[in-house]
Amino acid sequence: MSTAAATPAISLVIPVFNEEESLGALFDALDRAVPTLPQPVEAVLVDDGSRDRSLTLLREASRTRPWLKVVRFRRNFGQTAAIAAGIDHARAPLLVALDADLQNDPSDIPRLLARLDEGYDVVSGWRRDRKDKAVTRRLPSMVANWLIGYVTGVRIHDYGCTLKAYRRWVLEPYALYGEMHRFIPIYASWAGARVTEMEVTHHARHAGQSKYGLSRIWKVLLDLLTVTFLGGYSTKPIYFFGRPALVLCLGGLASGFVFVAQFIRNHLLDIPGQWIQATTLLQLAVFLFSLGVQFLLMGLLGEILIRTYHESQGKKTYLVGELINFDSPVAPHREPDNGER
Ligand code: UDP
Ligand code: MG
């Protein structure tokens, strides 16, 4: 059976940043997992500008493993960009993303795929028994997960888990920015995909260090704001800004109307003009009305921007420096060796 240059059935997408201490174990785990998956398999490892020996180790590993592809970034663009690049360079109709530090367990992949087979489009890993620090990691993530579910209406327990399985069509329409890889299930669900979650194994980090601190919380919250805005109003910003514009303009008109009514009454009653200096109605009218007009103009600007956003094509959030092993055949089918289980 020739599988040379065949389209893979499964693409694994793995972001790698300064993981020299974990990569050896990762390659071993992949060597065990790959034969258990539908064939052919490819793994796209994205070196996100590592400053340690990660790239060297990836190069070496790719020599003996034709299914292991490497995308090297010119500098560190972040985990989300790395996942986005992995997705862009992966060719299979089914994709599974996971971390390189083996906190996710590659042996969970067949279960996720089985779930896709049941008719789902996204299967999101749920690190129910999460092995990270309680105060700085699990607690903020609990709050964030609740908030994201509440705001977006897409309720899963663990958005931040990288280990997720996707059908390709779900991923194609979006460019991923910031910390947004965690919001893929939300985009997907808004796009009509069937999204589910599944408990997965989570291990403590055995080697190397986490690349994140507390600052990620704020970034995730800001991203949530953007996602909600884009999700709700990306195609109609004028509606979003138009509503307050209407209220403000009506408020301005109302105060203006009351002012004119008072003006006419006082004029008819021959009340001296000093009252005009005491009333705030005129200022209020001018203020509210101009603010309303500003909001309208903001909406119109939004309309212009959104057209550029939707119609401009081919913009990426990263620069690829090199592609390794993309011309070689993907892994031929082989049965797991004895003892490999
Ligand atoms: N990562 C990356 N670019 C970055 C930071 C992280 O590609 O700028 C990768 C990292 O190598 C790992 C995954 O993203 O494979 C998750 O990172 P980490 O384990 O540090 O996050 P945590 O598990 O602590 O949330
Ligand atoms: Mg980790």
Side-chain angles (χ1 to χ4, degrees):
M1 180 180 70
S2 165
T3 50
T7 309
I10 306 287
S11 299
L12 309 180
V13 171
I14 308 177
V16 178
F17 178 52
N18 292 348
E19 299 287 4
E20 61 180 5
E21 287 150 280
S22 303
L23 284 180
L26 176 71
F27 300 144
D28 291 344
L30 289 177
D31 286 342
R32 282 193 301 275
V34 162
T36 69
L37 300 175
Q39 302 294 320
V41 176
E42 68 173 4
V44 181
L45 283 84
V46 182
D47 174 51
D48 184 12
S50 296
R51 289 180 279 270
D52 63 0
R53 290 180 57 250
S54 294
L55 182 65
T56 314
L57 297 177
L58 288 169
R59 262 187 221 288
E60 275 167 19
S62 71
R63 278 194 202 113
T64 51
R65 296 171 181 83
W67 46 266
L68 194 155
K69 328 260 162 179
V70 182
V71 177
R72 173 174 72 84
F73 276 2
R74 289 206 177 276
R75 66 165 171 85
N76 179 247
F77 284 92
Q79 188 186 356
T80 295
I83 291 175
I87 291 169
D88 287 345
H89 288 89
R91 293 170 301 149
L94 304 180
L95 294 94
V96 178
L98 65 156
D99 284 341
D101 57 4
L102 286 180
Q103 289 198 265
N104 301 136
D105 197 325
S107 65
D108 281 330
I109 298 173
R111 288 198 305 126
L112 295 179
L113 293 175
R115 208 60 192 274
L116 280 187
D117 263 355
E118 289 171 23
Y120 288 100
D121 302 306
V122 178
V123 183
S124 184
W126 173 15
R127 299 164 292 179
R128 186 164 203 174
D129 184 16
R130 188 169 164 186
K131 302 286 195 305
D132 278 322
K133 288 195 188 110
V135 178
T136 52
R137 304 304 294 273
R138 295 208 317 262
L139 184 72
S141 132
M142 252 168 64
V143 177
N145 284 324
W146 176 83
L147 190 70
I148 296 171
Y150 179 77
V151 172
T152 62
V154 180
R155 292 188 187 273
I156 55 177
H157 287 89
D158 186 6
Y159 297 90
C161 181
T162 309
L163 181 57
K164 294 186 177 87
Y166 312 94
R167 284 185 202 283
R168 168 173 285 286
W169 73 265
V170 166
L171 298 166
E172 269 172 351
Y174 316 109
L176 301 174
Y177 298 90
E179 284 287 314
M180 289 193 175
H181 64 91
R182 72 191 60 239
F183 294 121
I184 295 174
I186 295 168
Y187 283 129
S189 164
W190 283 346
R194 292 188 66 201
V195 178
T196 188
E197 64 181 348
M198 173 174 247
E199 280 179 42
V200 293
T201 320
H202 192 242
H203 302 287
R205 206 184 228 282
H206 289 302
Q209 300 206 327
S210 171
K211 313 293 179 283
Y212 296 105
L214 284 170
S215 65
R216 181 162 66 179
I217 301 172
W218 180 234
K219 292 184 187 162
V220 168
L221 289 179
L222 290 176
D223 282 343
L224 176 62
L225 190 71
T226 318
V227 166
T228 331
F229 175 72
L230 289 180
Y233 294 99
S234 69
T235 52
K236 42 189 188 326
I238 193 84
Y239 295 172
F240 180 82
F241 290 102
R243 219 176 292 166
L246 184 69
V247 174
L248 288 164
C249 286
L250 285 180
L253 284 177
S255 356
F257 182 76
V258 176
F259 175 79
V260 171
Q262 276 188 6
F263 185 85
I264 293 171
R265 191 194 67 157
N266 292 354
H267 188 68
L268 292 178
L269 296 178
D270 264 349
I271 293 174
Q274 280 90 325
W275 70 273
I276 293 181
Q277 283 151 25
T279 182
T280 52
L281 278 173
L282 190 58
Q283 286 99 311
L284 201 64
V286 172
F287 174 71
L288 290 180
F289 199 80
S290 358
L291 206 61
V293 171
Q294 293 292 317
F295 266 71
L296 259 186
L297 292 179
M298 207 105 81
L300 285 174
L301 279 180
E303 290 287 322
I304 295 171
L305 285 176
I306 226 70
R307 276 159 183 68
T308 322
Y309 173 83
H310 283 290
E311 287 162 26
S312 62
Q313 294 293 316
K315 290 220 173 72
K316 299 275 184 251
T317 51
Y318 56 84
L319 289 168
V320 173
E322 190 176 2
L323 299 171
I324 301 168
N325 242 0
F326 276 81
D327 296 326
S328 56
V330 292
H333 177 75
R334 73 183 169 90
E335 297 299 327
D337 296 339
N338 287 340
E340 266 194 343
R341 277 205 57 84

